[in-house]
């Protein structure tokens, strides 16, 4: 006698149409024929498991850092909303291409440097937002604020924060070098960069300083790691903030 579970009349998966395969075995003198789960169902379950893992990892990271660090302003940043010009086409193309080609095997990052207020933070925030939409976990941290938080943290909490920075798929260090140098700050910056280097996690960074100025601020060890981990790209654009201020003054005078 053969017992089997019901299948579609055509012996094909009702979802994807693939031919159904069966487990067949004998037990206690009876023959059983049971359909195997279709690969489309297994793939769907695998995707759900991956999405759940990413969600849980994001929750764990954000609970330690009080959020991803993007905040309301940078959560709105996209490549489409970035104000481009002939001068900034090169840096825009490099950063956007990096985001589009990103995968879990990527170990190298980018340091975008240039004048204050010319959209560097917007550009790297756009990378994080783009990758989050693709299912990756990103951390965006303003370095002066991060250093202030680490400075006031207990030793145990400091270690937890530093470890958490390595848990994401990509770490953004915004405004690197925008603080007064001290030996403690230099050591902490080295620990952050070196930890991600050790775990082979990519770093994106922005700075108002030139590479030579940045090296003086963060120290030779950190700069040496960044030079190995990242490509340095200048954003030659002018300050958007000054442009907005000038336009505002013109409107006020016009009124």
């Amino acid at each position: 006698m053969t017992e089997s579970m019901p299948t579609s009349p055509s012996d094909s998966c009702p979802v994807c149409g693939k031919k159904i395969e069966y487990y067949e075995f004998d037990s206690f003198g009876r023959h059983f024929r049971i359909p195997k789960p279709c690969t489309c169902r297994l793939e769907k379950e695998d995707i759900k498991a991956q999405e759940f893992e990413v969600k849980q990892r994001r929750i764990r990271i954000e609970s330690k850092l009080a959020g991803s660090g993007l905040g309301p302003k940078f959560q709105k940043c996209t490549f489409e909303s970035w104000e481009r010009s002939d001068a900034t086409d090169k840096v825009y193309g490099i950063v956007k291409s990096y985001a589009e080609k990103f995968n879990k095997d990527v170990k190298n990052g980018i340091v975008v440097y240039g004048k204050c207020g010319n959209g560097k933070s917007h550009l790297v925030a756009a990378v994080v937002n783009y990758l989050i939409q693709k299912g990756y976990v990103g951390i965006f941290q303003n370095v002066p604020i991060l250093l202030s938080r680490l400075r006031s943290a207990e030793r145990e909490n400091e270690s937890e924060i530093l470890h958490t920075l390595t848990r994401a798929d990509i770490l953004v260090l915004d405004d690197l070098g925008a603080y007064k140098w001290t030996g403690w700050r230099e050591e902490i910056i080295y620990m952050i960069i070196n930890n991600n280097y050790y775990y082979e996690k990519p770093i994106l960074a922005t700075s108002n300083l030139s590479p030579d100025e940045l090296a003086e601020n963060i120290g030779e060890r950190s700069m040496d790691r960044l030079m190995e981990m990242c490509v340095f790209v200048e954003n030659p654009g002018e300050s958007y903030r000054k442009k907005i201020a000038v336009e505002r003054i013109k409107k006020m005078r016009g009124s």
Side-chain angles (χ1 to χ4, degrees), residues 155-169:
R155 176 67 64 180
E156 183 178 345
N157 289 337
E158 176 188 292
S159 298
E160 286 184 4
I161 292 171
L162 290 173
H163 178 65
T164 299
L165 295 176
T166 68
R167 300 290 299 278
D169 297 308

Side-chain angles (χ1 to χ4, degrees), residues 112-208:
V112 181
Y113 67 95
K115 295 179 180 179
C116 177
N118 67 2
K120 299 182 298 298
S121 299
H122 181 132
L123 199 55
V124 294
V127 174
V128 177
N129 288 322
Y130 179 90
L131 293 180
I132 287 174
Q133 291 297 317
K134 297 293 183 182
Y136 294 101
V137 178
I139 296 175
F140 183 102
Q141 292 289 298
N142 176 274
V143 176
I145 294 175
L146 175 62
L147 290 175
S148 178
R149 185 177 178 193
L150 286 167
R151 187 70 170 177
S152 61
E154 298 290 339
R155 176 67 64 180
E156 183 178 345
N157 289 337
E158 176 188 292
S159 298
E160 286 184 4
I161 292 171
L162 290 173
H163 178 65
T164 299
L165 295 176
T166 68
R167 300 290 299 278
D169 297 308
I170 190 164
L171 169 65
V172 171
L173 298 175
D174 188 40
D175 270 352
L176 188 60
Y179 42 82
K180 184 177 179 181
W181 180 91
T182 66
W184 176 84
R185 289 188 176 96
E186 180 179 325
E187 188 63 27
I188 288 293
I189 290 296
Y190 175 73
M191 290 172 66
I192 293 170
I193 293 173
N194 191 60
N195 283 352
N196 278 63
Y197 175 85
Y198 179 81
Y199 284 101
E200 296 187 318
K201 295 296 183 71
I203 289 176
L204 290 185
T206 69
S207 181
N208 298 330

